[in-house]
């Protein structure tokens, strides 16, 4: 019988270090997003920094997991903090943008209920000996569209397009439309996860990637 791994085993591995950096970037992003104000009207430079930090952090979402699997450095700590870092980045962005009046609160609340609910449920399933359901196509599309939509909302392109221009108005509505598309995939994949988890017998087989 193999010895149970400690939570801190491999804490200094490259994949985990990348995750730490993403968490630091997440806090920095939240700071600059708040300082920048709605659409960056308070401090445009801070808004640009926030947008860039979000895009870089979101783009490296899969990097730490890929490196961990590629070089056999999967750790218990990594499995714990990687999805938490992802949720904090996305949920933090939604909350800040709703506070600043850029995304409707009902959209943010639905995202938060789904993300927090599924995350808590997944830990419950693991704790009770069930299997982790792999991310579905809808779940992957949710992750992709919400990152693109939030990234577009965060970019203060009114600086180039003109704050009162038709192009800026179109851009804002397109970015919101992508966020709403992400919400559809969010709710659909959440329902799919519930059906796949509770609609079939639990086994300990096929413990695959975490559902995003």
């Amino acid at each position: 019988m193999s010895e149970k791994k400690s939570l801190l085993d491999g804490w200094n591995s490259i994949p985990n270090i990348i995750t730490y950096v993403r968490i630091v970037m997440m806090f920095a992003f939240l700071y600059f997003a708040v300082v920048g104000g709605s659409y960056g009207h308070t401090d445009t430079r801070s808004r640009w920094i926030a947008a860039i930090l979000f895009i870089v952090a979101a783009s490296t979402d899969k990097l730490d997991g890929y490196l961990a699997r590629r070089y056999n450095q999967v750790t218990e700590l990594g499995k714990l903090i990687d999805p938490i870092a992802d949720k904090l980045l996305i949920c933090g962005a939604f909350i800040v943008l709703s506070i600043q009046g850029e995304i409707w609160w009902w959209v943010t609340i639905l995202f938060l209920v789904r993300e927090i609910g599924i995350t808590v449920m997944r830990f419950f399933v693991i704790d009770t000996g069930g299997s982790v359901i792999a991310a579905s196509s809808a779940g992957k599309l949710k992750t992709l569209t919400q990152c693109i939509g939030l990234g577009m909302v965060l970019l203060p392109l009114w600086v180039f397009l003109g704050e009162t221009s038709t192009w800026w108005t179109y851009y804002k509505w397109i970015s919101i439309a992508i966020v709403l598309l992400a919400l559809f995939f969010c709710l659909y994949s959440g329902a799919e996860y519930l059906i796949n988890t509770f609609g079939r017998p639990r086994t300990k087989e096929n413990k695959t990637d975490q559902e995003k």
Side-chain angles (χ1 to χ4, degrees):
M1 183 175 180
S2 60
E3 183 179 353
K4 185 177 180 180
K5 294 182 179 179
S6 167
L7 182 63
L8 295 180
D9 285 348
W11 67 270
N12 58 346
S13 66
I14 296 298
N16 283 341
I17 290 174
I18 294 175
T19 304
Y20 305 151
V21 172
R22 284 175 45 233
I23 293 174
V24 172
M25 290 175 65
M26 181 271 299
F27 283 112
F29 152 71
L30 292 176
Y31 169 79
F32 285 109
V34 171
V35 171
S38 180
Y39 295 107
H41 290 152
T42 304
D43 186 343
T44 306
R45 180 180 297 180
S46 292
R47 180 62 173 235
W48 277 109
I49 294 173
I52 292 171
L53 284 171
F54 177 86
I55 292 171
V56 172
S59 299
T60 57
D61 172 24
K62 304 296 184 183
L63 180 60
D64 43 8
Y66 167 77
L67 291 176
R69 292 187 297 272
R70 176 69 175 79
Y71 297 103
N72 194 28
Q73 293 183 326
V74 176
T75 64
E76 295 301 312
L77 180 62
K79 289 189 287 186
L80 175 66
I81 65 175
D82 178 53
I84 291 176
D86 299 337
K87 305 303 182 187
L88 287 176
L89 176 67
I90 297 299
C91 294
F94 272 111
I95 291 172
V96 169
L97 291 174
S98 289
I99 290 174
Q100 296 179 161
E102 300 176 55
I103 291 180
W104 300 298
W105 269 110
W106 65 268
V107 173
T108 294
I109 290 172
L110 286 175
F111 267 107
L112 292 177
V113 169
R114 189 275 189 192
E115 298 289 10
I116 295 174
I118 294 298
T119 299
V120 171
M121 190 174 303
R122 177 156 46 80
F123 279 119
F124 170 78
V125 170
I126 295 173
D127 187 59
T128 56
S131 60
V132 181
I133 306 301
S136 65
S137 297
K140 294 175 182 177
L141 286 171
K142 182 266 296 184
T143 301
L144 176 63
T145 51
Q146 71 184 3
C147 289
I148 292 175
L150 289 172
M152 290 180 66
V153 173
L154 285 164
L155 287 170
L157 293 186
W158 58 267
V159 174
F160 304 114
L161 301 175
E163 191 173 359
T164 59
S165 71
T166 303
W167 287 110
W168 172 239
T169 301
Y170 287 157
Y171 177 84
K172 285 196 297 182
W173 280 109
I174 290 172
S175 62
I176 291 298
I178 296 176
V179 170
L180 292 177
L181 179 61
L183 178 61
F184 166 77
F185 287 128
C186 175
L187 298 177
Y188 181 87
S189 62
E192 193 175 38
Y193 183 82
L194 291 175
I195 294 172
N196 289 338
T197 301
F198 298 106
R200 68 182 190 181
R202 295 185 189 178
T203 67
K204 294 185 179 181
E205 298 177 354
N206 300 325
K207 291 192 175 183
T208 52
D209 295 341
Q210 299 161 23
E211 203 279 340
K212 292 289 185 183

